[in-house]
Amino acid sequence: MNYKKHFNYFHSKDQWYYIGLPIAILGCILVVGALFFFFVIPYQMPIGMTVAAIGASIAFLPYARCSKESEIDEAVCLASEDYSKQISERLSLENQLAKNTKPLTVGGYMYEDDLLMRRGRTDRICRTSKYSVAKIFCTKYGLVVAGKSFSLIEESENERMDSYSFSDMDRVAVTDEQFVCKDGSKIKVSFLVITKDNKELLRLPVKHDVAIDQLCHTVNEMIRKANT
């Protein structure tokens, strides 16, 4: 993982892009005008080419030292896949899985006030400097959850493993919440939450999708059976 380029990404600003892009467009307009013999200034073609080059440099050169958003997504994806594979090999729980269930890998960026955060210029996704990944095994006896959080800007990670029998849980659910960013904007974040006696036993960042909803439904059915 290229920590330095990721660090530069979170510290870079989009202001140079928005300054340089109009300049580059102006230069392109001058060049196109000259090609069609529409002149508004002397030496329009070389001046337009120079202005376009300067604008493009201002807009794009600052990003040369930074990771692209796609590179950060790829780094997160590779780290998650690698961890999922390692956990499966380490625990070897396949023979203990409940009927018609498969291990589920979940993950998401962590949103905390002390983390670096940046909203993607094109996709508008809020990425932070810390990510959480976990693998959930639904066994015949309960849930086994192995997970870790890791930094995208330095070599740092924390790992934990938890297990809960069905009788130790009241409910498993996905909760959607709002996180208020430093600039005042709000984003939706989702968590898998395990509760017992109205107390949270575990909270994991997740992407709210069909797979996680199906897992909650399956586990809650097993909890109901275990407590009747």
Side-chain angles (χ1 to χ4, degrees):
M1 189 174 295
N2 196 325
Y3 296 115
K4 185 176 181 180
K5 289 189 70 176
H6 294 343
F7 179 85
N8 290 339
Y9 169 81
F10 286 108
H11 278 279
S12 63
K13 304 294 183 183
D14 288 333
Q15 60 185 7
W16 295 114
Y17 175 82
Y18 293 113
I19 292 173
L21 186 62
I23 297 174
I25 292 174
L26 174 61
C28 291
I29 291 173
L30 292 175
V31 171
V32 172
L35 290 175
F36 287 93
F37 303 101
F38 181 77
F39 295 95
V40 294
I41 59 174
Y43 306 103
Q44 183 168 316
M45 175 63 78
I47 290 176
M49 294 177 65
T50 301
V51 171
I54 292 174
S57 298
I58 293 174
F60 298 107
L61 280 182
Y63 296 102
R65 300 183 302 110
C66 305
S67 294
K68 299 177 182 177
E69 291 155 9
S70 59
E71 291 175 330
I72 291 181
D73 292 340
E74 183 179 2
V76 164
C77 183
L78 289 174
S80 299
E81 290 177 355
D82 184 59
Y83 182 72
S84 177
K85 183 178 179 181
Q86 288 181 19
I87 287 299
S88 293
E89 293 174 351
R90 190 192 310 172
L91 298 183
S92 299
L93 293 172
E94 283 73 15
N95 295 332
Q96 300 181 39
L97 295 177
K99 187 178 180 180
N100 298 324
T101 65
K102 294 181 179 180
L104 181 64
T105 301
V106 299
Y109 289 98
M110 301 180 70
Y111 296 95
E112 300 171 358
D113 291 334
D114 60 341
L115 296 178
L116 298 178
M117 178 186 297
R118 185 178 174 190
R119 188 184 292 274
R121 189 179 70 245
T122 54
D123 58 18
R124 308 308 295 165
I125 295 175
C126 283
R127 296 170 177 85
T128 71
S129 57
K130 197 172 185 180
Y131 194 86
S132 169
V133 59
K135 191 155 191 176
I136 305 171
F137 300 86
C138 182
T139 73
K140 303 169 185 176
Y141 315 103
L143 289 183
V144 177
V145 183
K148 74 172 183 179
S149 59
F150 58 91
S151 173
L152 297 174
I153 60 174
E154 62 183 357
E155 193 169 352
S156 173
E157 63 180 42
N158 294 297
E159 187 174 5
R160 61 177 291 176
M161 188 174 300
D162 301 278
S163 60
Y164 308 95
S165 66
F166 293 119
S167 59
D168 288 338
M169 298 179 285
D170 284 341
R171 187 168 180 263
V172 177
V174 177
T175 175
D176 297 320
E177 303 175 7
Q178 279 191 334
F179 178 81
V180 181
C181 303
K182 293 178 181 179
D183 61 2
S185 62
K186 298 179 181 179
I187 58 174
K188 187 180 79 169
V189 294
S190 301
F191 299 94
L192 177 70
V193 180
I194 300 175
T195 56
K196 175 69 174 180
D197 297 330
N198 295 321
K199 294 181 180 179
E200 288 189 4
L201 303 179
L202 185 67
R203 168 179 284 246
L204 294 172
V206 297
K207 294 180 178 65
H208 198 166
D209 55 20
V210 174
I212 196 69
D213 283 337
Q214 181 60 48
L215 173 70
C216 292
H217 175 75
T218 300
V219 174
N220 285 327
E221 279 296 304
M222 293 182 172
I223 292 173
R224 182 183 63 80
K225 294 177 181 179
N227 292 323
T228 55

